[in-house]
C-alpha cells in the first residue's frame, strides 16, 4: 500500500456521493454518502455522513451525524455528535461525548464515555470510565470499570479487576435539567471482580474478593473470599464466604 | 470425552487465580473465547471450561509469565502460524531438529532450501516422536506424507495427530481436536497428541 501521506485528500463541502477508496485526510462538512470502504489518515465529520462499508482511519472525529454500515477501525475515535455503527469498533482510544450506538462489539484499551453509549455486543477494554449513560447488552470485560451514575445504566454481565459503580454526589445540572434517562441506577445480572464497590446497583449475583455494597443496592446473592461490607441502606438477599 | 467440564468457581478455587486475572487473560486472548461455555445451573447461568485444557493452560501461563509478557504469551498460544523461515543448517544449529529427521525428509524427496513454520513444525513433531521411540523411521516417512499433504487444512484450528496400527501396519491421521473415533477390535491407537501442544513448545523454542 502506498504511503498514506502521499495520497489525495477528500473534501466534501456541499452534497456529494462518492465510492470510497484510499485517502490522506477526509473531511465532510456538508452531506456525504460513501458507497464503499474508506482507508485514510484522518476522518473528520462535521456534517452528515452515511457510509456503506468499512472505515479504517488513524483518527476519526465525528461532530455531526454519522451512520456507518460496516466496522470501524481506528487508533483514536472521538464522537461528539450522533453516531450509529452497524458493525464492530476496534479502537485503543474511544471517547464519546455525544451519542453512540454500536450494533456490534467494542474492543479497546481506554474508553471514556461522557455522553451516551448503547452497545449490542460485548465490550472489552483495559479501562472504562463513564460519566454518562451506558447500556451494554453483552458482556463487559475490563481491567478497571469506573461508572458515575447520572441516569439508569445497565450491562448484562461485568467481569474485571476493579469495579467501581457509584452515584454522582451532586446530580449535575445538565442531566438533571433534561430530566431524561431515569433515576441514577445500574442493573446487571452478574458482577465479578477482585475489588468491587457498588452503589444504587441491582444485580442477581456479585462475586469477588473485597466487596463493598453501598447504599441503594439490591443484590440477591453475594459471594466473597476477602472482606464484605454492606451499607445499612442496601438490600442483600444472602451472602456467602467462599 | 471432552464433556469433562469445570465450573468457574471450582477453577479459581483450584488454581488460586482471581477473577481479575482470568478476565485479563481472556482479554489478552490467552484463553480462547470458545472455552467459556455458558450453561444454566441451579443458581442461574454459570460459566464452565473444558477441564483438561484450561488447567493445563493456566499452569503454563503461571509458569511462563515471569519470562514473557502477556502479549508474547498470546503469540505462543495462538494456533496461527507466524512468519519464520529457516534453513536446515539453522534448524540443526538451534537444536530444533536432528540430522536424522532431515535425512528422512530428504529420502521422502521433500527437501527445501528454506523451511516455513508449517514445515518446521512437521520436522519438530517427527523429530520428537522419533527420539522418544514412539515411532519407527518407516512410520516417520508416513508422518511426513500426512503432515505435508494435509496439515495446512487445519491452519488456525486445533487438531490432533493420531497413529493407529492394525496387525503391525501403521497409519497416521490428522483430525479435528476432540473428535470421537471407533475402530474394530484389531486396531490399536498407538499415539494421540494435540498439535497445539507441539506448536506451543516449538514457538517457545523459536522465540
Amino acid at each position: 500500500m502506498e504511503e498514506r501521506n502521499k495520497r489525495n485528500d477528500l473534501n466534501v463541502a456541499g452534497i456529494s456521493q462518492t465510492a470510497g477508496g484510499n485517502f490522506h485526510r477526509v473531511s465532510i462538512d456538508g452531506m456525504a454518502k460513501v458507497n464503499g470502504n474508506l482507508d485514510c489518515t484522518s476522518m473528520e465529520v462535521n456534517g452528515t455522513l452515511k457510509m456503506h462499508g468499512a472505515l479504517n482511519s488513524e483518527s476519526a472525529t465525528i461532530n455531526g451525524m454519522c451512520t456507518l454500515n460496516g466496522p470501524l477501525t481506528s487508533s483514536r475515535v472521538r464522537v461528539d455528535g450522533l453516531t450509529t455503527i452497524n458493525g464492530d469498533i476496534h479502537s485503543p482510544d474511544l471517547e464519546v461525548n455525544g451519542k453512540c450506538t454500536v450494533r456490534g462489539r467494542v474492543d479497546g484499551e481506554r474508553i471514556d464515555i461522557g455522553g451516551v453509549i448503547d452497545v449490542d455486543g460485548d465490550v472489552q477494554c483495559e479501562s472504562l470510565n463513564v460519566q454518562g449513560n451506558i447500556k451494554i447488552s453483552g458482556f463487559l470485560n475490563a481491567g478497571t470499570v469506573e461508572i458515575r451514575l447520572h441516569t439508569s445504566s445497565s450491562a448484562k454481565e461485568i467481569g474485571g479487576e476493579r469495579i467501581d459503580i457509584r452515584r454522582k454526589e451532586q446530580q449535575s445540572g445538565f442531566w438533571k435539567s433534561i430530566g431524561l434517562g431515569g433515576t441514577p441506577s445500574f442493573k446487571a445480572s452478574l458482577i465479578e471482580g477482585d475489588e468491587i464497590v457498588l452503589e444504587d446497583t441491582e444485580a442477581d449475583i456479585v462475586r469477588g474478593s473485597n466487596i463493598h455494597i453501598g447504599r441503594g443496592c439490591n443484590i440477591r446473592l453475594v459471594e466473597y473470599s476477602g472482606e464484605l461490607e454492606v451499607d445499612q441502606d442496601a438490600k442483600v438477599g444472602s451472602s456467602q464466604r467462599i | 470425552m471432552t464433556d469433562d467440564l469445570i465450573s468457574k468457581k471450582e477453577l479459581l478455587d483450584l488454581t488460586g487465580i482471581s477473577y481479575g486475572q482470568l478476565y485479563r487473560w481472556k482479554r489478552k486472548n490467552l484463553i480462547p473465547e470458545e472455552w467459556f461455555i455458558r450453561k444454566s445451573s441451579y443458581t442461574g447461568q454459570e460459566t464452565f471450561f473444558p477441564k483438561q485444557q484450561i488447567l493445563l493452560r493456566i499452569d503454563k501461563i503461571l509458569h511462563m509469565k515471569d519470562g514473557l509478557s502477556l502479549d508474547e504469551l498470546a503469540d505462543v498460544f495462538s494456533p496461527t502460524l507466524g512468519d519464520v523461515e529457516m534453513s536446515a543448517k539453522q534448524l540443526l544449529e538451534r537444536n530444533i531438529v536432528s540430522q536424522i529427521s532431515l535425512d528422512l525428509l530428504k529420502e521422502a524427496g521433500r527437501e527445501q532450501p528454506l523451511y516455513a513454520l508449517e514445515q518446521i513444525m512437521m520436522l519438530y513433531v517427527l523429530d520428537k516422536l522419533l527420539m522418544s521411540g514412539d515411532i519407527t523411521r518407516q512410520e516417520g516417512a508416513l508422518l511426513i506424507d500426512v503432515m505435508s499433504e494435509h496439515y495446512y487444512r487445519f491452519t488456525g484450528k486445533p487438531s490432533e495427530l493420531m497413529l493407529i496400527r492394525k496387525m503391525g501396519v501403521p497409519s497416521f491421521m490428522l483430525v479435528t481436536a476432540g473428535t470421537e473415533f471407533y475402530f474394530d477390535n484389531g486396531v490399536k491407537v498407538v499415539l494421540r497428541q494435540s498439535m497445539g501442544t507441539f506448536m506451543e513448545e516449538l514457538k517457545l523454542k523459536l522465540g
Side-chain angles (χ1 to χ4, degrees):
Chain A
M1 204 188 287
E2 86 266 41
E3 276 181 62
R4 275 183 168 146
N5 55 17
K6 285 186 187 147
R7 298 179 188 168
N8 294 327
D9 291 351
L10 171 69
N11 288 309
V12 175
I15 299 178
S16 165
Q17 197 172 136
T18 77
N22 297 341
F23 298 96
H24 179 35
R25 274 192 284 263
V26 177
S27 143
I28 313 281
D29 287 318
M31 263 170 83
K33 196 170 170 192
V34 177
N35 299 313
N37 299 341
L38 263 182
D39 183 291
C40 54
T41 318
S42 71
M43 155 73 112
E44 198 166 322
V45 181
N46 288 308
T48 306
L49 169 69
K50 190 159 186 184
M51 211 177 130
H52 294 274
L55 171 59
N56 193 336
S57 166
E58 271 164 45
S59 79
T61 312
I62 295 156
N63 292 313
M65 254 170 72
C66 177
T67 309
L68 196 71
N69 293 309
L72 166 60
T73 311
S74 171
S75 8
R76 213 165 48 248
V77 179
R78 191 183 160 126
V79 176
D80 289 337
L82 208 61
T83 301
T84 304
I85 292 157
N86 294 311
D88 300 344
I89 298 185
H90 282 271
S91 173
D93 192 348
L94 171 67
E95 191 179 339
V96 176
N97 290 310
K99 185 174 193 292
C100 187
T101 308
V102 185
R103 308 247 171 269
R105 56 176 296 145
V106 178
D107 276 295
E109 291 283 322
R110 206 174 63 88
I111 301 179
D112 262 310
I113 310 293
V116 179
I117 192 165
D118 193 338
V119 183
D120 272 5
D122 295 349
V123 175
Q124 197 159 289
C125 65
E126 289 310 310
S127 85
L128 172 73
N129 198 322
V130 180
Q131 294 278 350
N133 186 319
I134 184 163
K135 201 173 140 215
I136 299 172
S137 308
F139 172 60
L140 165 63
N141 178 356
T144 35
V145 176
E146 197 176 293
I147 298 175
R148 291 293 166 265
L149 296 167
H150 291 266
T151 55
S152 62
S153 293
S154 67
K156 185 155 172 276
E157 281 180 27
I158 305 181
E161 280 139 65
R162 284 189 46 238
I163 297 163
D164 183 338
I165 300 172
R166 269 183 274 185
R167 173 193 306 185
K168 180 90 180 133
E169 211 34 75
Q170 192 66 54
Q171 180 82 302
S172 72
F174 171 68
W175 292 102
K176 200 174 185 178
S177 66
I178 57 173
L180 288 171
T183 51
S185 67
F186 194 84
K187 240 187 206 166
S189 65
L190 175 71
I191 300 176
E192 285 179 336
D194 297 338
E195 308 285 327
I196 303 177
V197 177
L198 301 175
E199 267 180 16
D200 292 318
T201 299
E202 193 183 307
D204 193 37
I205 303 176
V206 176
R207 287 197 191 105
S209 332
N210 297 325
I211 303 177
H212 176 94
I213 307 284
R215 57 188 173 179
C217 284
N218 187 356
I219 318 282
R220 186 178 67 82
L221 172 66
V222 178
E223 292 183 341
Y224 61 104
S225 55
E227 280 175 37
L228 171 69
E229 272 177 71
V230 179
D231 193 279
Q232 51 188 6
D233 285 344
K235 262 196 270 174
V236 171
S238 63
S239 61
Q240 196 183 357
R241 199 186 180 113
I242 47 169
Chain B
M1 181 183 58
T2 44
D3 278 348
D4 202 6
L5 297 176
I6 184 169
S7 77
K8 197 194 292 172
K9 214 189 283 178
E10 285 174 310
L11 178 74
L12 298 190
D13 238 23
L14 211 62
T15 54
I17 60 169
S18 67
Y19 285 110
Q21 274 171 309
L22 182 72
Y23 288 122
R24 186 161 61 235
W25 293 343
K26 179 175 189 256
R27 284 202 299 282
K28 292 287 182 190
N29 292 325
L30 296 180
I31 302 171
E33 185 108 35
E34 61 269 18
W35 287 8
F36 285 70
I37 303 159
R38 327 270 297 122
K39 277 196 170 179
S40 47
S41 69
Y42 65 98
T43 50
Q45 280 267 327
E46 259 221 80
T47 307
F48 290 86
F49 299 90
K51 192 169 178 177
Q52 296 295 324
Q53 284 165 296
I54 190 88
L55 287 176
L56 198 69
R57 178 63 57 96
I58 285 180
D59 190 61
K60 276 194 181 149
I61 297 171
L62 289 174
H63 285 100
M64 296 197 305
K65 79 171 187 193
D66 297 336
L68 295 167
S69 73
L70 286 181
D71 291 321
E72 285 168 328
L73 270 179
D75 279 345
V76 171
F77 292 133
S78 107
T80 52
L81 303 168
D83 297 326
V84 186
E85 278 198 334
M86 282 185 153
S87 65
K89 198 165 155 256
Q90 280 174 303
L91 287 171
L92 278 174
E93 276 170 5
R94 297 192 52 181
N95 232 344
I96 292 161
V97 299
S98 65
Q99 190 62 50
I100 302 165
S101 317
L102 288 167
D103 286 346
L104 257 179
L105 194 70
K106 202 171 174 182
E107 278 170 35
R110 295 190 190 267
E111 202 185 20
Q112 282 173 12
L114 276 177
Y115 298 100
L117 188 57
E118 211 166 303
Q119 290 140 347
I120 300 176
M121 169 80 171
M122 173 181 79
L123 279 166
Y124 179 71
V125 173
L126 173 68
D127 204 62
K128 236 190 133 181
L129 296 180
L130 275 175
M131 290 302 156
S132 63
D134 282 331
I135 61 168
T136 64
R137 273 176 60 94
Q138 224 174 9
E139 286 164 348
L142 288 176
L143 174 68
I144 292 177
D145 279 345
V146 71
M147 288 278 291
S148 1
E149 296 286 334
H150 303 294
Y151 185 52
Y152 74 92
R153 294 176 209 270
F154 291 95
T155 310
K157 283 185 288 186
S159 56
E160 284 176 297
L161 179 71
M162 264 177 85
L163 170 62
I164 57 167
R165 284 202 198 111
K166 184 174 182 177
M167 295 197 281
V169 182
S171 182
F172 271 102
M173 266 190 256
L174 272 174
V175 295
T176 311
T179 320
E180 285 186 59
F181 297 92
Y182 302 96
F183 299 108
D184 62 85
N185 286 332
V187 175
K188 181 181 187 312
V189 177
V190 184
L191 179 119
R192 179 171 188 179
Q193 275 182 31
S194 129
M195 295 303 272
T197 332
F198 285 121
M199 186 51 97
E200 283 163 26
E201 286 171 13
L202 177 63
K203 279 187 175 169
L204 280 176
K205 277 201 156 194
L206 291 171

